[in-house]
Amino acid sequence: MAAADELAFHEFEEASDLLAETPDAATTSGSNQLTPQGHVAVAVDSGGSYGAEEEVEESDRTALLQEEKQQPGFWTFGYYQSFFDVDTSQVLDRIRGSLLPRPGHNFVRHHLRNRPDLYGPFWICATLAFVLAVTGNLTLVLAQRRDPSIHYSPQFHKVTVAGVTIYCYVWLVPLALWAFLRWRKGVRERMGPYTFLETVCVYGYSLFVFIPTVVLWLIPVPWLQWLFGGLALALSAASLVFTLWPVVREDTRLVAAVLLSTVVLLHALLAVGCKPLPLAHPAPPTQAASLSPDLPPPPTSSAHTT
């Protein structure tokens, strides 16, 4: 027992000396014993600053993930899906804006609002091509009822011709216009051209006025057809001119005048191409054509005199 007590006494003295030399050893040892293995003790003050820092870190992590998310490529379906993401109210508002152009009322700024769509232009062009084909055949049917000498046969190729012509116009003319404005932007630094899709959208909605006009062209009155065509051309061309004017006015007067004149001229050619052509009545057979080639010609007056 005495040896055991002496050994315990020496251990107690060593512990006391160690405590005197390193007073923090007890606190560290106690904290390591009280803390379960695999856990980290976190000190939280009374203000709850740790909870606020955790929320900030979570929000920063979410923003970083959104930034790192890659946009779909132009060859994928998801890239073009955003251009068809419009509702009926937006499409109707843009149609009204194209039908009621006003000076100082920019179609891109007031109706597109940096969100051009392809849904409206696509279906407007498709509807116009279909209406042109149907009214072209109906014109022949009505003309045959008035004049039986006119022969009618269904002309289904008009759908293809009208569709190719209209879609090429809505895509190629805006492409050339956009490329020209991009080139002039390098010459005139103050010019800010529209994007290509905004230009296509403006041209697509400007053709809506021709849909009811083509239907009204079924009225077989030539001067009334020209009147409807002129009104439709004026509204459609005015929508284009008022939209392009804020961009081209920063350029020289000559370039602005030539560009706007070219836009109106191409639009007028499209309107004239949509107008139905007057029907050509077959010529009555002449007397010479009715004679048989085997019969001799009738005698002339000089033959009787001799």
PDB file of all heavy atoms in Angstrom, residues 211-241:
ATOM      1  N   ILE A 211     -53.331  39.945 -95.203  1.00  0.00           N
ATOM      2  CA  ILE A 211     -54.229  38.784 -95.129  1.00  0.00           C
ATOM      3  C   ILE A 211     -55.683  39.189 -95.392  1.00  0.00           C
ATOM      4  O   ILE A 211     -56.337  38.620 -96.283  1.00  0.00           O
ATOM      5  CB  ILE A 211     -54.066  38.072 -93.779  1.00  0.00           C
ATOM      6  CG1 ILE A 211     -52.644  37.502 -93.661  1.00  0.00           C
ATOM      7  CG2 ILE A 211     -55.097  36.956 -93.617  1.00  0.00           C
ATOM      8  CD1 ILE A 211     -52.362  36.843 -92.340  1.00  0.00           C
ATOM      9  N   PRO A 212     -56.244  40.179 -94.654  1.00  0.00           N
ATOM     10  CA  PRO A 212     -57.625  40.592 -95.008  1.00  0.00           C
ATOM     11  C   PRO A 212     -57.695  41.279 -96.361  1.00  0.00           C
ATOM     12  O   PRO A 212     -58.734  41.214 -97.032  1.00  0.00           O
ATOM     13  CB  PRO A 212     -58.015  41.536 -93.871  1.00  0.00           C
ATOM     14  CG  PRO A 212     -56.723  42.037 -93.318  1.00  0.00           C
ATOM     15  CD  PRO A 212     -55.757  40.907 -93.466  1.00  0.00           C
ATOM     16  N   THR A 213     -56.608  41.910 -96.791  1.00  0.00           N
ATOM     17  CA  THR A 213     -56.628  42.583 -98.087  1.00  0.00           C
ATOM     18  C   THR A 213     -56.766  41.571 -99.228  1.00  0.00           C
ATOM     19  O   THR A 213     -57.508  41.802-100.199  1.00  0.00           O
ATOM     20  CB  THR A 213     -55.347  43.407 -98.270  1.00  0.00           C
ATOM     21  OG1 THR A 213     -55.216  44.326 -97.190  1.00  0.00           O
ATOM     22  CG2 THR A 213     -55.361  44.159 -99.578  1.00  0.00           C
ATOM     23  N   VAL A 214     -56.068  40.440 -99.128  1.00  0.00           N
ATOM     24  CA  VAL A 214     -56.171  39.413-100.169  1.00  0.00           C
ATOM     25  C   VAL A 214     -57.588  38.859-100.250  1.00  0.00           C
ATOM     26  O   VAL A 214     -58.097  38.570-101.346  1.00  0.00           O
ATOM     27  CB  VAL A 214     -55.150  38.293 -99.889  1.00  0.00           C
ATOM     28  CG1 VAL A 214     -55.373  37.105-100.812  1.00  0.00           C
ATOM     29  CG2 VAL A 214     -53.730  38.816-100.048  1.00  0.00           C
ATOM     30  N   VAL A 215     -58.251  38.730 -99.115  1.00  0.00           N
ATOM     31  CA  VAL A 215     -59.641  38.261 -99.128  1.00  0.00           C
ATOM     32  C   VAL A 215     -60.546  39.286 -99.806  1.00  0.00           C
ATOM     33  O   VAL A 215     -61.453  38.938-100.585  1.00  0.00           O
ATOM     34  CB  VAL A 215     -60.108  37.958 -97.691  1.00  0.00           C
ATOM     35  CG1 VAL A 215     -61.573  37.528 -97.680  1.00  0.00           C
ATOM     36  CG2 VAL A 215     -59.240  36.878 -97.062  1.00  0.00           C
ATOM     37  N   LEU A 216     -60.303  40.574 -99.525  1.00  0.00           N
ATOM     38  CA  LEU A 216     -61.118  41.619-100.153  1.00  0.00           C
ATOM     39  C   LEU A 216     -60.870  41.730-101.649  1.00  0.00           C
ATOM     40  O   LEU A 216     -61.713  42.272-102.378  1.00  0.00           O
ATOM     41  CB  LEU A 216     -60.838  42.971 -99.481  1.00  0.00           C
ATOM     42  CG  LEU A 216     -61.302  43.100 -98.031  1.00  0.00           C
ATOM     43  CD1 LEU A 216     -60.859  44.430 -97.443  1.00  0.00           C
ATOM     44  CD2 LEU A 216     -62.813  42.958 -97.930  1.00  0.00           C
ATOM     45  N   TRP A 217     -59.750  41.227-102.120  1.00  0.00           N
ATOM     46  CA  TRP A 217     -59.469  41.256-103.564  1.00  0.00           C
ATOM     47  C   TRP A 217     -60.370  40.310-104.351  1.00  0.00           C
ATOM     48  O   TRP A 217     -60.343  40.311-105.584  1.00  0.00           O
ATOM     49  CB  TRP A 217     -58.012  40.901-103.821  1.00  0.00           C
ATOM     50  CG  TRP A 217     -57.090  42.073-103.638  1.00  0.00           C
ATOM     51  CD1 TRP A 217     -57.436  43.392-103.633  1.00  0.00           C
ATOM     52  CD2 TRP A 217     -55.670  42.025-103.443  1.00  0.00           C
ATOM     53  NE1 TRP A 217     -56.332  44.176-103.433  1.00  0.00           N
ATOM     54  CE2 TRP A 217     -55.234  43.375-103.310  1.00  0.00           C
ATOM     55  CE3 TRP A 217     -54.740  41.006-103.351  1.00  0.00           C
ATOM     56  CZ2 TRP A 217     -53.896  43.705-103.109  1.00  0.00           C
ATOM     57  CZ3 TRP A 217     -53.412  41.327-103.157  1.00  0.00           C
ATOM     58  CH2 TRP A 217     -52.988  42.657-103.041  1.00  0.00           C
ATOM     59  N   LEU A 218     -61.158  39.489-103.669  1.00  0.00           N
ATOM     60  CA  LEU A 218     -62.132  38.649-104.365  1.00  0.00           C
ATOM     61  C   LEU A 218     -63.248  39.477-104.993  1.00  0.00           C
ATOM     62  O   LEU A 218     -63.964  38.983-105.878  1.00  0.00           O
ATOM     63  CB  LEU A 218     -62.737  37.624-103.397  1.00  0.00           C
ATOM     64  CG  LEU A 218     -61.802  36.487-102.942  1.00  0.00           C
ATOM     65  CD1 LEU A 218     -62.482  35.639-101.889  1.00  0.00           C
ATOM     66  CD2 LEU A 218     -61.376  35.633-104.132  1.00  0.00           C
ATOM     67  N   ILE A 219     -63.427  40.708-104.540  1.00  0.00           N
ATOM     68  CA  ILE A 219     -64.430  41.590-105.152  1.00  0.00           C
ATOM     69  C   ILE A 219     -63.969  41.930-106.573  1.00  0.00           C
ATOM     70  O   ILE A 219     -62.897  42.518-106.759  1.00  0.00           O
ATOM     71  CB  ILE A 219     -64.618  42.863-104.316  1.00  0.00           C
ATOM     72  CG1 ILE A 219     -65.039  42.492-102.894  1.00  0.00           C
ATOM     73  CG2 ILE A 219     -65.633  43.793-104.962  1.00  0.00           C
ATOM     74  CD1 ILE A 219     -65.142  43.690-101.962  1.00  0.00           C
ATOM     75  N   PRO A 220     -64.733  41.586-107.594  1.00  0.00           N
ATOM     76  CA  PRO A 220     -64.271  41.768-108.984  1.00  0.00           C
ATOM     77  C   PRO A 220     -64.422  43.203-109.487  1.00  0.00           C
ATOM     78  O   PRO A 220     -65.016  43.457-110.540  1.00  0.00           O
ATOM     79  CB  PRO A 220     -65.159  40.793-109.774  1.00  0.00           C
ATOM     80  CG  PRO A 220     -66.428  40.762-109.003  1.00  0.00           C
ATOM     81  CD  PRO A 220     -66.052  40.916-107.550  1.00  0.00           C
ATOM     82  N   VAL A 221     -63.879  44.146-108.729  1.00  0.00           N
ATOM     83  CA  VAL A 221     -63.894  45.555-109.135  1.00  0.00           C
ATOM     84  C   VAL A 221     -62.448  46.032-109.152  1.00  0.00           C
ATOM     85  O   VAL A 221     -61.834  46.156-108.083  1.00  0.00           O
ATOM     86  CB  VAL A 221     -64.744  46.413-108.180  1.00  0.00           C
ATOM     87  CG1 VAL A 221     -64.745  47.873-108.636  1.00  0.00           C
ATOM     88  CG2 VAL A 221     -66.164  45.867-108.091  1.00  0.00           C
ATOM     89  N   PRO A 222     -61.871  46.296-110.310  1.00  0.00           N
ATOM     90  CA  PRO A 222     -60.430  46.600-110.370  1.00  0.00           C
ATOM     91  C   PRO A 222     -60.021  47.808-109.536  1.00  0.00           C
ATOM     92  O   PRO A 222     -59.020  47.752-108.798  1.00  0.00           O
ATOM     93  CB  PRO A 222     -60.183  46.827-111.869  1.00  0.00           C
ATOM     94  CG  PRO A 222     -61.263  46.055-112.558  1.00  0.00           C
ATOM     95  CD  PRO A 222     -62.454  46.181-111.663  1.00  0.00           C
ATOM     96  N   TRP A 223     -60.769  48.934-109.633  1.00  0.00           N
ATOM     97  CA  TRP A 223     -60.344  50.124-108.899  1.00  0.00           C
ATOM     98  C   TRP A 223     -60.457  49.916-107.392  1.00  0.00           C
ATOM     99  O   TRP A 223     -59.653  50.467-106.610  1.00  0.00           O
ATOM    100  CB  TRP A 223     -61.175  51.337-109.331  1.00  0.00           C
ATOM    101  CG  TRP A 223     -62.638  51.273-108.936  1.00  0.00           C
ATOM    102  CD1 TRP A 223     -63.660  50.790-109.682  1.00  0.00           C
ATOM    103  CD2 TRP A 223     -63.199  51.716-107.705  1.00  0.00           C
ATOM    104  NE1 TRP A 223     -64.847  50.894-109.000  1.00  0.00           N
ATOM    105  CE2 TRP A 223     -64.592  51.481-107.781  1.00  0.00           C
ATOM    106  CE3 TRP A 223     -62.693  52.300-106.556  1.00  0.00           C
ATOM    107  CZ2 TRP A 223     -65.466  51.793-106.736  1.00  0.00           C
ATOM    108  CZ3 TRP A 223     -63.549  52.623-105.509  1.00  0.00           C
ATOM    109  CH2 TRP A 223     -64.918  52.376-105.614  1.00  0.00           C
ATOM    110  N   LEU A 224     -61.417  49.074-106.959  1.00  0.00           N
ATOM    111  CA  LEU A 224     -61.540  48.781-105.536  1.00  0.00           C
ATOM    112  C   LEU A 224     -60.395  47.878-105.067  1.00  0.00           C
ATOM    113  O   LEU A 224     -59.872  48.037-103.942  1.00  0.00           O
ATOM    114  CB  LEU A 224     -62.886  48.108-105.268  1.00  0.00           C
ATOM    115  CG  LEU A 224     -63.427  48.164-103.837  1.00  0.00           C
ATOM    116  CD1 LEU A 224     -63.550  49.602-103.356  1.00  0.00           C
ATOM    117  CD2 LEU A 224     -64.767  47.459-103.746  1.00  0.00           C
ATOM    118  N   GLN A 225     -59.971  46.977-105.919  1.00  0.00           N
ATOM    119  CA  GLN A 225     -58.822  46.138-105.573  1.00  0.00           C
ATOM    120  C   GLN A 225     -57.558  46.970-105.414  1.00  0.00           C
ATOM    121  O   GLN A 225     -56.776  46.767-104.478  1.00  0.00           O
ATOM    122  CB  GLN A 225     -58.625  45.060-106.648  1.00  0.00           C
ATOM    123  CG  GLN A 225     -59.723  44.024-106.705  1.00  0.00           C
ATOM    124  CD  GLN A 225     -59.507  43.012-107.814  1.00  0.00           C
ATOM    125  OE1 GLN A 225     -58.614  43.174-108.673  1.00  0.00           O
ATOM    126  NE2 GLN A 225     -60.313  41.961-107.831  1.00  0.00           N
ATOM    127  N   TRP A 226     -57.344  47.918-106.316  1.00  0.00           N
ATOM    128  CA  TRP A 226     -56.170  48.781-106.195  1.00  0.00           C
ATOM    129  C   TRP A 226     -56.253  49.674-104.963  1.00  0.00           C
ATOM    130  O   TRP A 226     -55.227  49.989-104.339  1.00  0.00           O
ATOM    131  CB  TRP A 226     -56.018  49.629-107.459  1.00  0.00           C
ATOM    132  CG  TRP A 226     -55.483  48.870-108.627  1.00  0.00           C
ATOM    133  CD1 TRP A 226     -56.162  48.488-109.749  1.00  0.00           C
ATOM    134  CD2 TRP A 226     -54.151  48.388-108.793  1.00  0.00           C
ATOM    135  NE1 TRP A 226     -55.348  47.795-110.601  1.00  0.00           N
ATOM    136  CE2 TRP A 226     -54.094  47.721-110.041  1.00  0.00           C
ATOM    137  CE3 TRP A 226     -52.999  48.445-108.013  1.00  0.00           C
ATOM    138  CZ2 TRP A 226     -52.929  47.123-110.521  1.00  0.00           C
ATOM    139  CZ3 TRP A 226     -51.848  47.849-108.493  1.00  0.00           C
ATOM    140  CH2 TRP A 226     -51.809  47.209-109.719  1.00  0.00           C
ATOM    141  N   LEU A 227     -57.455  50.091-104.605  1.00  0.00           N
ATOM    142  CA  LEU A 227     -57.614  50.919-103.407  1.00  0.00           C
ATOM    143  C   LEU A 227     -57.256  50.137-102.150  1.00  0.00           C
ATOM    144  O   LEU A 227     -56.503  50.635-101.286  1.00  0.00           O
ATOM    145  CB  LEU A 227     -59.057  51.430-103.324  1.00  0.00           C
ATOM    146  CG  LEU A 227     -59.397  52.267-102.070  1.00  0.00           C
ATOM    147  CD1 LEU A 227     -58.550  53.537-102.016  1.00  0.00           C
ATOM    148  CD2 LEU A 227     -60.883  52.606-102.042  1.00  0.00           C
ATOM    149  N   PHE A 228     -57.780  48.926-102.027  1.00  0.00           N
ATOM    150  CA  PHE A 228     -57.436  48.092-100.868  1.00  0.00           C
ATOM    151  C   PHE A 228     -55.931  47.779-100.827  1.00  0.00           C
ATOM    152  O   PHE A 228     -55.309  47.800 -99.760  1.00  0.00           O
ATOM    153  CB  PHE A 228     -58.237  46.788-100.915  1.00  0.00           C
ATOM    154  CG  PHE A 228     -59.707  46.968-100.671  1.00  0.00           C
ATOM    155  CD1 PHE A 228     -60.640  46.136-101.283  1.00  0.00           C
ATOM    156  CD2 PHE A 228     -60.174  47.979 -99.831  1.00  0.00           C
ATOM    157  CE1 PHE A 228     -61.992  46.304-101.073  1.00  0.00           C
ATOM    158  CE2 PHE A 228     -61.529  48.148 -99.608  1.00  0.00           C
ATOM    159  CZ  PHE A 228     -62.441  47.323-100.227  1.00  0.00           C
ATOM    160  N   GLY A 229     -55.361  47.497-101.996  1.00  0.00           N
ATOM    161  CA  GLY A 229     -53.928  47.214-102.035  1.00  0.00           C
ATOM    162  C   GLY A 229     -53.091  48.417-101.643  1.00  0.00           C
ATOM    163  O   GLY A 229     -52.076  48.273-100.943  1.00  0.00           O
ATOM    164  N   GLY A 230     -53.494  49.602-102.080  1.00  0.00           N
ATOM    165  CA  GLY A 230     -52.751  50.806-101.709  1.00  0.00           C
ATOM    166  C   GLY A 230     -52.817  51.103-100.222  1.00  0.00           C
ATOM    167  O   GLY A 230     -51.813  51.495 -99.606  1.00  0.00           O
ATOM    168  N   LEU A 231     -53.989  50.919 -99.626  1.00  0.00           N
ATOM    169  CA  LEU A 231     -54.120  51.149 -98.179  1.00  0.00           C
ATOM    170  C   LEU A 231     -53.281  50.146 -97.382  1.00  0.00           C
ATOM    171  O   LEU A 231     -52.611  50.512 -96.405  1.00  0.00           O
ATOM    172  CB  LEU A 231     -55.595  51.053 -97.772  1.00  0.00           C
ATOM    173  CG  LEU A 231     -56.512  52.176 -98.257  1.00  0.00           C
ATOM    174  CD1 LEU A 231     -57.957  51.897 -97.853  1.00  0.00           C
ATOM    175  CD2 LEU A 231     -56.056  53.521 -97.711  1.00  0.00           C
ATOM    176  N   ALA A 232     -53.321  48.884 -97.802  1.00  0.00           N
ATOM    177  CA  ALA A 232     -52.515  47.869 -97.101  1.00  0.00           C
ATOM    178  C   ALA A 232     -51.029  48.160 -97.240  1.00  0.00           C
ATOM    179  O   ALA A 232     -50.258  48.028 -96.272  1.00  0.00           O
ATOM    180  CB  ALA A 232     -52.842  46.481 -97.650  1.00  0.00           C
ATOM    181  N   LEU A 233     -50.601  48.550 -98.435  1.00  0.00           N
ATOM    182  CA  LEU A 233     -49.192  48.873 -98.632  1.00  0.00           C
ATOM    183  C   LEU A 233     -48.783  50.085 -97.806  1.00  0.00           C
ATOM    184  O   LEU A 233     -47.678  50.112 -97.230  1.00  0.00           O
ATOM    185  CB  LEU A 233     -48.930  49.128-100.113  1.00  0.00           C
ATOM    186  CG  LEU A 233     -47.510  49.565-100.482  1.00  0.00           C
ATOM    187  CD1 LEU A 233     -46.497  48.499-100.091  1.00  0.00           C
ATOM    188  CD2 LEU A 233     -47.422  49.887-101.976  1.00  0.00           C
ATOM    189  N   ALA A 234     -49.638  51.081 -97.703  1.00  0.00           N
ATOM    190  CA  ALA A 234     -49.311  52.270 -96.928  1.00  0.00           C
ATOM    191  C   ALA A 234     -49.145  51.940 -95.444  1.00  0.00           C
ATOM    192  O   ALA A 234     -48.193  52.393 -94.796  1.00  0.00           O
ATOM    193  CB  ALA A 234     -50.396  53.332 -97.121  1.00  0.00           C
ATOM    194  N   LEU A 235     -50.065  51.139 -94.883  1.00  0.00           N
ATOM    195  CA  LEU A 235     -49.966  50.778 -93.468  1.00  0.00           C
ATOM    196  C   LEU A 235     -48.739  49.913 -93.197  1.00  0.00           C
ATOM    197  O   LEU A 235     -48.011  50.131 -92.218  1.00  0.00           O
ATOM    198  CB  LEU A 235     -51.235  50.038 -93.030  1.00  0.00           C
ATOM    199  CG  LEU A 235     -52.517  50.860 -92.961  1.00  0.00           C
ATOM    200  CD1 LEU A 235     -53.700  49.960 -92.613  1.00  0.00           C
ATOM    201  CD2 LEU A 235     -52.384  51.969 -91.925  1.00  0.00           C
ATOM    202  N   SER A 236     -48.491  48.935 -94.064  1.00  0.00           N
ATOM    203  CA  SER A 236     -47.369  48.034 -93.848  1.00  0.00           C
ATOM    204  C   SER A 236     -46.033  48.755 -94.013  1.00  0.00           C
ATOM    205  O   SER A 236     -45.112  48.580 -93.197  1.00  0.00           O
ATOM    206  CB  SER A 236     -47.460  46.859 -94.824  1.00  0.00           C
ATOM    207  OG  SER A 236     -46.456  45.912 -94.567  1.00  0.00           O
ATOM    208  N   ALA A 237     -45.905  49.571 -95.062  1.00  0.00           N
ATOM    209  CA  ALA A 237     -44.661  50.301 -95.272  1.00  0.00           C
ATOM    210  C   ALA A 237     -44.431  51.349 -94.193  1.00  0.00           C
ATOM    211  O   ALA A 237     -43.284  51.581 -93.773  1.00  0.00           O
ATOM    212  CB  ALA A 237     -44.669  50.957 -96.655  1.00  0.00           C
ATOM    213  N   ALA A 238     -45.506  51.982 -93.717  1.00  0.00           N
ATOM    214  CA  ALA A 238     -45.348  52.966 -92.638  1.00  0.00           C
ATOM    215  C   ALA A 238     -44.846  52.318 -91.359  1.00  0.00           C
ATOM    216  O   ALA A 238     -44.038  52.901 -90.621  1.00  0.00           O
ATOM    217  CB  ALA A 238     -46.678  53.672 -92.387  1.00  0.00           C
ATOM    218  N   SER A 239     -45.313  51.090 -91.095  1.00  0.00           N
ATOM    219  CA  SER A 239     -44.826  50.382 -89.910  1.00  0.00           C
ATOM    220  C   SER A 239     -43.319  50.131 -90.003  1.00  0.00           C
ATOM    221  O   SER A 239     -42.590  50.278 -89.010  1.00  0.00           O
ATOM    222  CB  SER A 239     -45.583  49.052 -89.759  1.00  0.00           C
ATOM    223  OG  SER A 239     -45.084  48.306 -88.669  1.00  0.00           O
ATOM    224  N   LEU A 240     -42.836  49.781 -91.194  1.00  0.00           N
ATOM    225  CA  LEU A 240     -41.402  49.552 -91.371  1.00  0.00           C
ATOM    226  C   LEU A 240     -40.612  50.853 -91.277  1.00  0.00           C
ATOM    227  O   LEU A 240     -39.556  50.906 -90.634  1.00  0.00           O
ATOM    228  CB  LEU A 240     -41.144  48.878 -92.722  1.00  0.00           C
ATOM    229  CG  LEU A 240     -41.682  47.461 -92.907  1.00  0.00           C
ATOM    230  CD1 LEU A 240     -41.410  46.976 -94.326  1.00  0.00           C
ATOM    231  CD2 LEU A 240     -41.061  46.517 -91.901  1.00  0.00           C
ATOM    232  N   VAL A 241     -41.097  51.897 -91.922  1.00  0.00           N
ATOM    233  CA  VAL A 241     -40.363  53.171 -91.946  1.00  0.00           C
ATOM    234  C   VAL A 241     -40.282  53.776 -90.552  1.00  0.00           C
ATOM    235  O   VAL A 241     -39.208  54.239 -90.120  1.00  0.00           O
ATOM    236  CB  VAL A 241     -41.027  54.142 -92.941  1.00  0.00           C
ATOM    237  CG1 VAL A 241     -40.423  55.536 -92.821  1.00  0.00           C
ATOM    238  CG2 VAL A 241     -40.868  53.629 -94.362  1.00  0.00           C
TER     239      VAL A 241
END
